[in-house]
């Protein structure tokens, strides 16, 4: 009889421990999900670190010896928004310790880039054969140059990105804590 009581006590204690572990893991998962939800609700304008204005350049040289030249050059003013995309933050980037949450932010990247089409300047030179080939195939050197201008984004050095990232982390640590206070979470960014 005494052995049955000891076994029952061990089973009850084991069940309580399993329940505590389950609740702790479930709570941690819920806090991660809540943190991701709040981060993704931050307005995109707040996530922009820098707006860069620059001159975009595109060149092409598709000519050949037989049919002659097909050369083009285009320039335009471009505005690029450098920032942090919160959609890239996943559960693996969030560490939870009770109500203390640490979020590892992704590296900054180009969020958006737009051309000022009023500032586009095109230069194109084609031989007669190349013009006929373009007309027959439905190609347009001007359209190809515009596609090149709009799809190329500026390159950033890792030093520039690190400096921008640290600036953004500091800004978030100062200002974004208010977003999480309503959820009774203390969040720090790294």
């Amino acid at each position: 009889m005494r052995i049955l009581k000891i076994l029952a006590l061990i089973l009850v204690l084991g069940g309580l421990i399993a329940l505590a572990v389950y609740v702790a893991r479930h709570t941690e998962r819920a806090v991660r999900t809540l943190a991701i939800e709040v981060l993704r609700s931050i307005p995109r304008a707040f996530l922009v670190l820098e707006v860069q204005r620059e001159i975009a350049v595109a060149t092409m040289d598709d000519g050949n010896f037989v049919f002659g030249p097909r050369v083009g050059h285009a320039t335009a003013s471009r505005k690029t928004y450098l920032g942090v995309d919160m959609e890239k933050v996943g559960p693996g980037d969030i560490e939870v310790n009770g109500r203390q949450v640490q979020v590892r932010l992704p590296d900054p990247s180009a969020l958006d880039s737009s051309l000022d089409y009023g500032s586009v300047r095109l230069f194109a030179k084609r031989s007669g054969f190349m013009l006929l080939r373009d007309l027959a195939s439905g190609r347009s050197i001007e359209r190809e140059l515009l596609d090149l201008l709009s799809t190329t984004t500026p390159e950033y050095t890792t030093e520039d990105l690190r400096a921008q990232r640290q600036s953004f982390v500091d800004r978030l640590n100062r200002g974004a804590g208010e977003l999480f206070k309503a959820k009774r979470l203390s969040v720090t960014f790294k």
Side-chain angles (χ1 to χ4, degrees):
M1 189 69 174
R2 186 166 177 91
I3 292 177
L4 288 176
K5 287 183 182 179
I6 292 174
L7 283 174
L9 182 63
I10 290 173
L11 285 174
V12 168
L13 286 175
L16 288 174
I17 290 172
L19 180 65
V21 168
Y22 172 78
V23 168
R25 286 188 180 165
H26 180 69
T27 303
E28 186 176 305
R29 194 174 320 131
V31 168
R32 275 195 180 110
T33 303
L34 178 65
I36 289 172
E37 183 180 310
V38 171
L39 287 172
R40 290 184 179 165
S41 72
I42 295 174
R44 195 155 178 104
F46 185 76
L47 303 176
V48 173
L49 304 173
E50 181 179 318
V51 178
Q52 289 186 339
R53 289 173 176 78
E54 62 191 2
I55 301 295
V57 178
T59 58
M60 65 182 338
D61 185 1
D62 288 342
N64 59 41
F65 182 72
V66 175
F67 293 113
R70 184 175 187 263
V71 179
H73 181 80
T75 62
S77 177
R78 176 174 44 207
K79 204 185 289 186
T80 302
Y81 299 92
L82 179 68
V84 175
D85 186 3
M86 290 299 184
E87 295 293 323
K88 294 180 182 176
V89 175
D93 299 320
I94 298 174
E95 297 174 22
V96 178
N97 186 8
R99 290 286 183 189
Q100 301 290 324
V101 179
Q102 284 191 341
V103 179
R104 169 93 174 120
L105 294 174
D107 289 333
S109 60
L111 294 177
D112 191 18
S113 184
S114 61
L115 287 178
D116 176 11
Y117 285 99
S119 69
V120 173
R121 302 290 178 253
L122 292 169
F123 166 76
K125 180 180 176 184
R126 293 179 283 212
S127 69
F129 288 119
M130 285 296 192
L131 178 61
L132 287 175
R133 188 187 85 173
D134 284 353
L135 290 173
S137 64
R139 292 176 61 185
S140 167
I141 193 168
E142 292 82 5
R143 189 177 22 194
E144 290 174 23
L145 285 168
L146 284 175
D147 286 344
L148 279 174
L149 279 176
S150 62
T151 56
T152 57
T153 57
E155 298 289 324
Y156 297 103
T157 64
T158 54
E159 293 82 25
D160 290 340
L161 291 177
R162 271 192 217 123
Q164 291 293 338
R165 186 178 186 289
Q166 189 56 46
S167 167
F168 186 61
V169 166
D170 294 341
R171 189 171 85 183
L172 271 179
N173 280 329
R174 282 190 311 271
E178 296 298 321
L179 292 172
F180 293 94
K181 280 188 180 177
K183 308 294 184 189
R184 296 188 313 261
L185 293 175
S186 173
V187 177
T188 55
F189 296 93
K190 57 180 181 172

